[in-house]
Amino acid sequence: MTQRPAAVVLAGGLGTRMKSSTPKHFHRLLGRRMVDWVVEAARGVDADPLVVVTSPQGAAELDGLTVAIQAEPRGTGDAVVAAHQALDGFAGDLLILSGDAPGISPDALRNLLDTHRLEEAAATVLSFRPEDPREYGRILRGEDGSVRAIVEAGDASPEELAVDEVNSSIYVFAADRVWPALEQLDTANEQGELYLTDAVRVLVENGERVAAYLVPDPIEAEGVNTRAELAEAAAALRDRINRAHMLAGVTIVDPETTWIEAEVEIEPDATIHPFTVINGESKVAAGATVGPHAVVVDAVIGPGATVGPFCYLRPGTHLEAGAKAGTFVEIKNSRIGAGAKVPHLSYIGDADVGEETNIGAGAITANYRPELGPGKFRTEIGRNVHTGSDNVFVAPVTIGDNAWVAAGSVVTKNVPPGALAIARARQATREGYDDRKR
């Protein structure tokens, strides 16, 4: 049985080209921070132990993970050395992953590991061919296809810069070979840093075999250094997520305008219309229709439910089977019962709406009552209730089953089941008013 690999994720850089006070590895895309995408890929190949190397400032952002601290930014080789203690005693295949490559997938890592084992290599590099090689290190191969060197762009000759196969900064090493190689690194390079790529050079000089796995899709290996590259990576991950949902039976009418975060669950036969954003741990059941122009955050959409167009479901919203949240409707922390409808122009917050109830246009639940104490108060609306247009429900208030609420009412008292509530000022009409004003 093949031993599980270990993994070290390098996430110590500040990312000054992002022009941000947030280190680049902690910028978010599709619901996860950049480094989280890499960690999830490592988990996808059952890496254990799994260590994240970061700066002293970044350690607090990685709660729940095994963290190694790189006290000073002295290069990628030094970063791997920082993880040595956490890997003490491990002697198998050691994945080294770049924390700024969110596109890397478990499948690519499995292929990298398979190549490494098939080649019986001391190290294997994940390489790729981008449209623009930019500042990536060039992969120089020998006649037998093995890697004879990785040359950083700043140290490369014009002939070497012409090579289009580049280093992703993702590797697998035989653990017992990498530590001695790292001990031989020096800072004789343009940046004055300890390059992990020089560990490859040391292994080659010692007569060890170094292989390369050329990943077919460059998005698997592209690093992110700028906001523009962050957006490009997000678009690629969006396409990957949408394709997986479509292959699983979800209809996404226009994948290019539909953004679904990584943790979202959607059942087959749901339909997602254009310009829809579904975030967090939202769940969409079979037969539901969402959008167009809907935003869904940490909400549950039940079987056959309808959302939109132009609808905002905030955290804690639960639409039960066949419920409707319609045009220009915002719902927060509320349960909308089976078959109930909030068709248009309403805000429903901190409320429970019973089955088959119809909420008229322009409804508002006034859930903030500071004179009654801190926090929000709930509105309870029963089953088969018919509310009129332009109703305000001043919480805490309960509307009983089968009740009716007249249009324009501001409801401040409980309404018994089956009753009609009218809570508005009597209309007064003064004839000839305009003539007197003139």
Side-chain angles (χ1 to χ4, degrees):
M1 181 177 178
T2 304
Q3 182 185 9
R4 294 164 66 178
V8 174
V9 178
L10 306 184
L14 296 177
T16 54
R17 281 184 284 174
M18 298 289 283
K19 306 248 186 313
S20 173
S21 59
T22 301
K24 72 172 177 178
H25 302 94
F26 300 134
H27 280 262
R28 301 186 70 85
L29 61 170
L30 276 298
R32 295 174 180 165
R33 300 172 303 180
M34 204 183 309
V35 67
D36 296 331
W37 284 96
V38 182
V39 168
E40 286 303 309
R43 286 174 172 160
V45 294
D46 297 322
D48 184 35
L50 197 168
V51 183
V52 181
V53 179
T54 189
S55 66
Q57 296 81 6
E61 304 295 327
L62 296 165
D63 189 40
L65 294 168
T66 300
V67 175
I69 302 298
Q70 185 183 21
E72 298 178 13
R74 299 179 60 233
T76 52
D78 179 68
V80 177
V81 171
H84 194 179
Q85 184 174 354
L87 296 166
D88 187 36
F90 181 82
D93 295 328
L94 174 60
L95 285 164
I96 309 294
L97 307 177
S98 177
D100 65 359
I104 190 65
S105 68
D107 284 343
L109 295 183
R110 276 188 282 270
N111 290 335
L112 174 65
L113 288 163
D114 288 345
T115 299
H116 178 73
R117 292 159 183 164
L118 182 65
E119 296 277 350
E120 298 182 340
T124 303
V125 184
L126 188 141
S127 65
F128 68 111
R129 288 193 170 100
E131 289 186 12
D132 179 4
R134 303 195 298 279
E135 298 301 310
Y136 289 106
R138 283 12 182 212
I139 301 291
L140 305 182
R141 292 182 181 254
E143 292 182 1
D144 63 352
S146 65
V147 175
R148 60 180 177 84
I150 302 173
V151 181
E152 297 294 338
D155 301 319
S157 67
E159 293 78 11
E160 291 167 339
L161 285 173
V163 174
D164 65 353
E165 183 182 9
V166 303
N167 176 26
S168 68
S169 299
I170 295 173
Y171 313 84
V172 56
F173 286 90
D176 60 348
R177 316 278 180 84
V178 70
W179 305 119
L182 290 170
E183 290 175 358
Q184 300 179 52
L185 302 189
D186 59 46
T187 58
N189 53 62
E190 185 183 53
Q191 298 296 326
E193 295 181 347
L194 299 175
Y195 288 159
L196 184 56
T197 50
D198 284 342
V200 171
R201 173 183 55 77
V202 169
L203 290 172
V204 172
E205 290 175 353
N206 291 342
E208 302 279 9
R209 182 171 180 80
V210 176
Y213 166 64
L214 179 62
V215 69
D217 187 354
I219 188 56
E220 298 270 6
E222 289 270 14
V224 172
N225 289 297
T226 67
R227 305 283 185 138
E229 292 169 358
L230 184 70
E232 292 167 3
L237 290 169
R238 174 204 63 201
D239 293 345
R240 182 186 295 177
I241 290 170
N242 288 349
R243 179 174 175 78
H245 283 301
M246 290 187 288
L247 291 176
V250 176
T251 295
I252 299 179
V253 176
D254 184 4
E256 291 189 0
T257 63
T258 302
W259 293 80
I260 301 170
E261 289 189 346
E263 311 306 327
V264 172
E265 298 178 16
I266 308 178
E267 293 181 355
D269 288 327
T271 299
I272 313 299
H273 286 286
F275 301 103
T276 291
V277 177
I278 308 179
N279 291 348
E281 297 183 359
S282 296
K283 295 178 173 59
V284 182
T289 300
V290 185
H293 294 279
V295 176
V296 179
V297 183
D298 289 323
V300 177
I301 300 170
T306 303
V307 178
F310 298 100
C311 184
Y312 183 17
L313 301 186
R314 291 168 57 189
T317 297
H318 189 152
L319 303 185
E320 295 187 356
K324 178 177 181 177
T327 308
F328 300 111
V329 167
E330 178 179 346
I331 303 177
K332 185 266 291 185
N333 192 29
S334 297
R335 181 188 63 85
I336 310 300
K341 298 177 178 62
V342 187
H344 32 223
L345 301 164
S346 297
Y347 168 71
I348 304 297
D350 301 284
D352 293 288
V353 178
E355 298 176 4
E356 301 299 333
T357 285
N358 185 81
I359 304 296
I364 295 174
T365 57
N367 48 10
Y368 181 53
R369 299 286 304 280
E371 73 276 16
L372 299 181
K376 302 294 180 68
F377 294 86
R378 293 194 75 78
T379 296
E380 304 286 339
I381 299 177
R383 297 188 305 275
N384 196 36
V385 172
H386 295 264
T387 76
S389 297
D390 197 26
N391 285 164
V392 178
F393 301 93
V394 183
V397 68
T398 298
I399 313 299
D401 295 345
N402 303 304
W404 296 70
V405 181
S409 294
V410 177
V411 180
T412 59
K413 297 178 181 179
N414 293 343
V415 179
L420 167 64
I422 305 174
R424 61 191 182 211
R426 184 182 299 276
Q427 179 175 328
T429 302
R430 290 176 171 80
E431 299 287 346
Y433 179 79
D434 184 63
D435 294 337
R436 292 195 297 273
K437 291 293 288 183
R438 290 182 190 278

